[in-house]
Amino acid sequence: ARFETCWPALMKDSHGVIIIFNPDLPSHLKEIEMWYSCFVQQQPLLDSQCLLVAHHKPGSAGDTENLSLAYPLNKLKLIHSNLEEDPEDVRMEFIKYFRSIITIINESREREEMSIIS
């Protein structure tokens, strides 16, 4: 919270938001609602421009099945990262996410260009 004065600068012209949290900490589950509200809803960005990453520390139980997030977080793309077990899966999900952001940027640029022309 002490960095809140920097948030507008961080948000300016951003095209995507990745929120990484520790699903084993109940406080994190509350905090990600605040991050989502500030960085996604108030911008506004589309939900598809936001990626949630539940990062499981080495040796944690890593219960990926029972992590149920409340609305509106349950509408977001959620990936579980456990770099001990599946670094390749996480890499592929990041690549998919970045591709989707590039598509959104290109589409909005084309719309802008068309509006200038017409």
Side-chain angles (χ1 to χ4, degrees):
R2 62 175 181 263
F3 299 115
E4 275 180 53
T5 50
C6 306
W7 289 1
L10 286 173
M11 289 190 257
K12 184 174 166 17
D13 299 332
S14 64
H15 296 291
V17 174
I18 298 173
I19 299 173
I20 301 172
F21 65 100
N22 181 345
D24 300 322
L25 293 180
S27 63
H28 273 206
L29 299 179
K30 285 303 310 162
E31 279 176 35
I32 56 176
E33 291 178 24
M34 185 260 307
W35 292 113
Y36 172 75
S37 168
C38 292
F39 281 85
V40 181
Q41 288 179 312
Q42 289 174 30
Q43 288 236 60
L45 291 176
L46 301 169
D47 285 340
S48 57
Q49 288 167 277
C50 182
L51 178 65
L52 289 181
V53 181
H55 184 64
H56 300 270
K57 289 188 170 169
S60 72
D63 188 359
T64 58
E65 301 306 312
N66 294 323
L67 179 62
S68 59
L69 297 172
Y71 180 86
L73 297 172
N74 60 5
K75 302 181 300 173
L76 304 175
K77 172 82 174 151
L78 169 68
I79 64 171
H80 290 272
S81 78
N82 181 332
L83 299 180
E84 280 184 320
E85 289 172 23
D86 260 336
E88 192 53 31
D89 274 12
V90 175
R91 205 171 73 85
M92 292 311 297
E93 289 294 346
F94 268 105
I95 289 169
K96 270 195 279 190
Y97 170 71
F98 286 125
R99 282 195 184 130
S100 72
I101 295 294
I102 290 165
T103 303
I104 289 167
I105 293 168
N106 287 340
E107 284 171 357
S108 71
R109 192 172 291 148
E110 281 167 22
R111 276 197 303 275
E112 279 171 26
E113 286 168 4
M114 290 310 290
S115 68
I116 292 166
I117 293 165
S118 53

